[in-house]
Amino acid sequence: MEIEIFNETNEDLEKELEELKTLLINVSKDEGLDNILFNVIIIDNDRIRVLNREYRNIDRETDVISFALEDDKTFNLEEIRVLGDIYISVEKARSQAKEYNHSFKRELSFLAIHGFLHLLGYDHMEKEDEEIMFKKQEEVLSRYEIVR
């Protein structure tokens, strides 16, 4: 299992990102995934806005964007599942933590788990799928006592 987390901001997030990596490793193990590789990239609002505009045709900041490589059937390796990349805006994570009146750790964890589930094929385009995905997110966060 290889999970890389990159901080591409000027913020000192070493402690938070180490905790996040531990969470993602544990959740991966809970899901029975040991032969996976994916990245989490922490960026600012300007950079996530560019990604959102280029890949989703939405010209505004967002909190998290996932690029699932398994969606591209031409990119497959036998021995390891290369899941893709999760981009998280640290600025949106901070503002949403304040808005929802919970910790930055909780918001960052929520966004990472949300992105991770997208890499695994979950989505929330239909109401039924949204209920399944959001229930799974809350179960994971509750299991690790990362609550509001």
Side-chain angles (χ1 to χ4, degrees):
M1 176 182 325
E2 190 170 338
I3 301 169
E4 295 291 335
I5 301 183
F6 302 95
N7 180 6
E8 296 186 357
T9 73
N10 294 325
E11 290 195 43
D12 178 11
L13 300 169
E14 187 175 341
K15 178 181 179 260
E16 292 90 344
L17 298 184
E18 193 59 43
E19 289 176 350
L20 186 63
K21 185 172 185 173
T22 299
L23 172 66
L24 291 168
I25 288 169
N26 288 332
V27 171
S28 298
K29 288 177 183 176
D30 291 347
E31 294 295 315
L33 304 170
D34 57 3
N35 62 336
I36 59 170
L37 170 111
F38 68 95
N39 300 308
V40 178
I41 303 99
I42 307 299
I43 57 178
D44 61 22
N45 276 348
D46 290 339
R47 180 119 180 263
I48 209 158
R49 182 177 185 164
V50 169
L51 291 172
N52 207 22
R53 182 175 55 238
E54 287 181 9
Y55 294 98
R56 297 179 64 223
N57 295 315
I58 300 172
D59 190 14
R60 68 173 183 269
E61 302 90 23
T62 190
D63 48 9
V64 60
I65 296 178
S66 299
F67 295 97
L69 289 177
E70 287 189 322
D71 289 348
D72 180 358
K73 300 301 181 205
T74 63
F75 189 81
N76 287 315
L77 299 175
E78 295 283 325
E79 62 281 349
I80 191 164
R81 289 178 64 188
V82 181
L83 298 181
D85 297 321
I86 303 165
Y87 288 85
I88 298 173
S89 167
V90 69
E91 292 167 287
K92 287 294 268 187
R94 287 202 189 283
S95 68
Q96 288 176 177
K98 248 182 220 180
E99 180 183 340
Y100 300 130
N101 198 30
H102 56 238
S103 69
F104 175 65
K105 175 183 177 176
R106 201 278 183 195
E107 187 64 21
L108 191 61
S109 299
F110 173 85
L111 295 174
I113 296 301
H114 184 88
F116 179 62
L117 291 175
H118 276 305
L119 295 184
L120 295 178
Y122 289 84
D123 72 40
H124 45 87
M125 300 301 286
E126 303 295 328
K127 184 70 174 159
E128 183 179 320
D129 294 332
E130 178 181 301
E131 289 172 3
I132 292 167
M133 183 174 181
F134 285 25
K135 181 180 179 194
K136 180 87 170 169
Q137 287 170 176
E138 289 306 318
E139 286 171 356
V140 167
L141 294 170
S142 293
R143 183 179 328 126
Y144 290 96
E145 299 178 358
I146 304 172
V147 294
R148 293 182 176 202

